[in-house]
C-alpha cells in the first residue's frame, strides 16, 4: 500500500516538473525567435540596445517620466534633472531602494545611448551627403 502512494507521488511530481520544463523551453524559444526577428529587422538598433541595458526606450522614458526622443532629439537637461532627483530620493542610506536606484541609472543610460546613436547616424549621413573632407595640416 505504501509503495503505491510513493509511486503515485513520484509519478505526479515528475509530470508537474516535466510540464514546467517544457513550458520554460517554449518561452525561451519564443523569446529567442522574437529577439532574432527584431535584430534582423533593425540591426544594431533597439533590440541590441535593449539587450545590453535590459530596458527598452519606452520603459526608460516611463521610469524617468520624460518624453521619448523625437528623431534623436530630446531635452537632456530635463532627463538629467529627473535622474538626479529620483536617484537622490532612492538613496539606500536614506531608506531608499538600491534596485530602484539602479533602474533609474539604467534608464538614463538607455536614453543617452539612443540620443548618441541618433547623433552618430546624423553625423554619418551628413558626411555622406557633404562628402568626406580630410583634415589637412598646412605645416606638413
Amino acid at each position: 500500500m505504501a509503495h503505491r502512494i510513493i509511486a503515485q507521488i513520484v509519478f505526479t511530481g515528475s509530470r508537474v516538473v516535466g510540464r514546467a520544463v517544457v513550458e520554460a523551453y517554449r518561452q525561451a524559444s519564443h523569446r529567442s525567435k522574437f529577439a532574432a526577428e527584431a535584430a534582423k529587422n533593425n540591426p544594431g538598433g533597439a533590440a541590441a540596445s535593449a539587450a545590453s541595458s535590459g530596458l527598452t526606450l519606452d520603459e526608460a522614458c516611463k521610469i524617468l517620466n520624460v518624453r521619448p526622443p523625437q528623431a534623436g532629439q530630446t531635452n537632456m537637461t530635463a532627463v538629467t534633472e529627473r535622474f538626479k532627483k529620483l536617484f537622490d530620493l532612492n538613496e539606500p542610506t536614506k531608506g531608499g531602494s538600491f534596485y530602484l536606484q539602479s533602474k533609474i541609472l539604467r534608464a538614463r543610460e538607455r536614453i543617452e545611448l539612443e540620443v548618441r546613436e541618433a547623433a552618430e547616424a546624423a553625423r554619418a549621413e551628413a558626411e555622406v551627403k557633404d562628402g568626406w573632407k580630410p583634415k589637412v595640416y598646412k605645416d606638413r
Side-chain angles (χ1 to χ4, degrees):
M1 180 78 167
H3 66 290
R4 249 188 189 172
I5 295 172
I6 292 173
Q8 191 174 15
I9 290 172
V10 169
F11 182 71
T12 305
S14 64
R15 281 181 46 200
V16 169
V17 170
R19 286 181 183 168
V21 167
V22 169
E23 184 62 28
Y25 178 76
R26 279 189 198 141
Q27 286 180 1
S29 174
H30 179 70
R31 285 183 182 159
S32 67
K33 287 178 185 176
F34 179 76
E37 183 74 25
K40 184 174 71 171
N41 291 340
N42 191 5
S49 299
S52 66
S53 69
L55 288 175
T56 63
L57 181 61
D58 196 39
E59 290 172 331
C61 291
K62 285 180 182 177
I63 289 171
L64 292 178
N65 194 23
V66 294
R67 289 186 178 162
Q70 300 296 325
Q73 301 292 325
T74 190
N75 186 358
M76 287 307 292
T77 57
V79 171
T80 305
E81 288 173 6
R82 292 290 301 159
F83 164 75
K84 286 180 181 178
K85 179 181 178 186
L86 293 172
F87 195 81
D88 291 341
L89 285 174
N90 287 295
E91 179 66 35
T93 57
K94 298 177 184 175
S97 168
F98 178 74
Y99 173 77
L100 290 177
Q101 206 176 37
S102 65
K103 281 290 195 182
I104 292 164
L105 177 66
R106 297 294 169 240
R108 186 204 64 185
E109 289 174 346
R110 178 67 175 92
I111 293 171
E112 287 176 347
L113 175 70
E114 188 72 23
V115 170
R116 193 175 329 118
E117 284 179 353
E120 181 66 27
R123 186 196 61 74
E125 186 177 311
E127 185 176 291
V128 167
K129 183 180 175 185
D130 297 338
W132 185 62
K133 297 178 183 172
K135 295 179 181 175
V136 178
Y137 300 101
K138 293 184 179 186
D139 60 342
R140 287 190 181 176

